[in-house]
Amino acid sequence: MGQSVVAVDIGNSFIKAAVLTDVLTPLDLHDTPVVTFKSEDIGNAQWLDFLGSCPVETQWFLASVNQSCLDCVVQWLDSQTTPIKRTILNHQHLPLDFSAVDVDQVGVDRLLSALGAMGARENPFPVVVVDIGTAVTIDAVTAEGAFLGGVIMPGIYLSSIALANYTDRLPEVEVNISDLQGLPQAIGTCTQDAIKGGLVWGLIGAIEAVVKQQQKILGPGAHLIVDGADSDLVSNLPFDVSTMDHLCLRGIIHVAQNVLD
């Protein structure tokens, strides 16, 4: 039997987890269910059902940008009758070059997403990694595996909340960026449509502008890899784009494979 692993990506809003019964086999997340939790789900029936498929000797690999949520997961792990092996990842676990950045001040999720994108390449080439979540990150990685840094900006959800909270009459507008089912009009005929168009087209424009600047450094051969966006949004970016889900989880699994191989 192969080495089983639970990979856990603890973000600002959600926990994503995947169980791999043999982490050393070639990775295909399409065949591996990824389950999403909130912090209040830790230890509940859904959480326990998900973990019921884990062999006894399963090792956990965790990465987090949410310390309080990580503490809850660790507390649950420590409360189990059978000790559970765990590794909380940081930059020292990653086979990337961080000499260009102050790596202690860079979120491990960005580093792991970069590794997840790099690990999927058949041939070495520079990449721009875009991860669209609560925050949007756009990071540059050279063909040699040097993480150069990037930008962080509010995601659509945060921008919508800011408009609602810091104006008198603008409503909060919900936009599901992973399932847009067509892009909003750039000329909205009511306030809600105008906000929705501004949020979506503003994000597209911001990504385009940043990627163009990063490509000046990486070179025109830099490839764009996007996680978390609907295909309609991606198709409006004027670049050669690949979409790839769960980049951070892919990076965690890549580290687990290196550790256990």
Side-chain angles (χ1 to χ4, degrees), residues 4 39 44 86 100 156 167 170 190 228 245-246 257:
S4 59
S39 59
N44 71 7
R86 67 172 183 269
I156 281 182
T167 62
L170 292 181
C190 65
D245 56 0
H246 309 305
Q257 290 171 331

Side-chain angles (χ1 to χ4, degrees), residues 187-196:
I187 302 177
T189 57
C190 65
T191 296
Q192 287 206 351
D193 287 349
I195 293 173
K196 184 178 292 187

Side-chain angles (χ1 to χ4, degrees), residues 25-149:
T25 59
L27 173 63
D28 186 355
L29 275 182
H30 293 294
D31 297 329
T32 304
V34 174
V35 182
T36 301
F37 302 97
K38 293 185 177 181
S39 59
E40 56 265 31
D41 295 328
I42 297 170
N44 71 7
Q46 181 193 14
W47 178 271
L48 296 175
D49 286 345
F50 169 69
L51 296 173
S53 61
C54 297
V56 175
E57 296 299 322
T58 297
Q59 184 164 343
W60 287 51
F61 288 82
L62 306 99
S64 177
V65 294
N66 185 331
Q67 187 60 49
S68 62
C69 192
L70 174 63
D71 291 343
C72 289
V73 175
V74 170
Q75 183 178 8
W76 182 86
L77 290 173
D78 289 342
S79 71
Q80 302 309 295
T81 304
T82 303
I84 297 176
K85 294 181 181 179
R86 67 172 183 269
T87 302
I88 299 173
L89 301 183
N90 58 48
H91 69 273
Q92 294 177 331
H93 295 99
L94 278 65
L96 295 175
D97 175 6
F98 301 119
S99 58
V101 297
D102 182 357
V103 70
D104 291 325
Q105 299 299 315
V106 179
V108 70
D109 57 334
R110 294 169 60 193
L111 305 179
L112 284 162
S113 291
L115 180 62
M118 297 290 285
R121 306 173 312 164
E122 294 183 358
N123 300 301
F125 51 78
V127 294
V128 177
V129 184
V130 180
D131 197 343
I132 301 175
T134 305
V136 176
T137 59
I138 308 174
D139 292 312
V141 189
T142 70
E144 296 74 28
F147 181 88
L148 302 184

Side-chain angles (χ1 to χ4, degrees), residues 12-13 133-136 153-165 199:
N12 289 299
S13 301
T134 305
V136 176
M153 56 191 179
I156 281 182
Y157 173 68
L158 289 181
S159 297
S160 178
I161 289 177
L163 284 174
N165 287 349
L199 293 172

